[in-house]
Amino acid sequence: MAGTIEVLVPGGQANPGPPLGPELGPTPVDVQAVVEEINDQTAAFDGTEVPVTVDYEDDGSFEIDVGVPPTAALIKDEAGFETGSGEPQADFVADLSVEQVKTIAEQKHPDLLAYDTINAAKEVVGTCASMGVTIEGNDAREFKELVDGGEYDDVLAGEAEA
């Protein structure tokens, strides 16, 4: 009866109710143990919908694989807005700090092609450009040029948490 369950849960706020409880109820796993493990692994995404896969065995053992929310969802959560701009080159909806960009880059790093935080941040900035989000008051494209020029190396340097 081993199987797999895939659900979307709010980061750090999963509970034994729907959607998790009804899916796990008929399985041999300890539902509360699964919920606690999911909350531990998703705490960094605080409330943002996170894709989670639970693989379980007949003996009640389980493994949890936590996906990463889309970059746009992480940006919206970090900047505190609901929808991106309809005219991202002219109408800006939010402004992020370099530290916020770094936080998003570190969260998203496992799903990105980047080798380091600086390049992961550039990928995040690309999404900011299409959403109408500025960084440190700069248009996302201008900010990327500043990053390419090394202006934010001291903040962004270092390995992302994988």
Side-chain angles (χ1 to χ4, degrees), residues 108-127:
K108 192 67 182 167
H109 190 261
D111 283 357
L112 298 177
L113 299 174
Y115 291 110
D116 58 22
T117 306
I118 292 173
N119 288 304
K122 288 184 200 177
E123 290 190 43
V124 171
V125 168
T127 303

Side-chain angles (χ1 to χ4, degrees), residues 34-142:
V34 172
V35 167
E36 288 173 10
E37 176 90 15
I38 289 172
N39 286 338
D40 287 347
Q41 291 189 30
T42 63
F45 298 117
D46 188 33
T48 303
E49 292 288 307
V50 180
V52 175
T53 303
V54 180
D55 293 313
Y56 61 89
E57 299 296 332
D58 292 333
D59 64 1
S61 63
F62 61 90
E63 283 188 25
I64 295 172
D65 182 38
V66 175
V68 179
T71 304
L74 294 173
I75 292 168
K76 288 192 293 188
D77 185 54
E78 190 70 30
F81 65 94
E82 291 298 315
T83 59
S85 172
E87 296 181 41
Q89 304 312 311
D91 183 23
F92 302 107
V93 295
D95 186 59
L96 292 175
S97 68
V98 178
E99 290 79 15
Q100 288 174 305
V101 170
K102 181 179 181 182
T103 298
I104 296 166
E106 288 175 343
Q107 289 175 334
K108 192 67 182 167
H109 190 261
D111 283 357
L112 298 177
L113 299 174
Y115 291 110
D116 58 22
T117 306
I118 292 173
N119 288 304
K122 288 184 200 177
E123 290 190 43
V124 171
V125 168
T127 303
C128 288
S130 66
M131 296 178 73
V133 175
T134 57
I135 299 97
E136 299 279 330
N138 295 303
D139 177 272
R141 288 169 182 79
E142 294 169 6

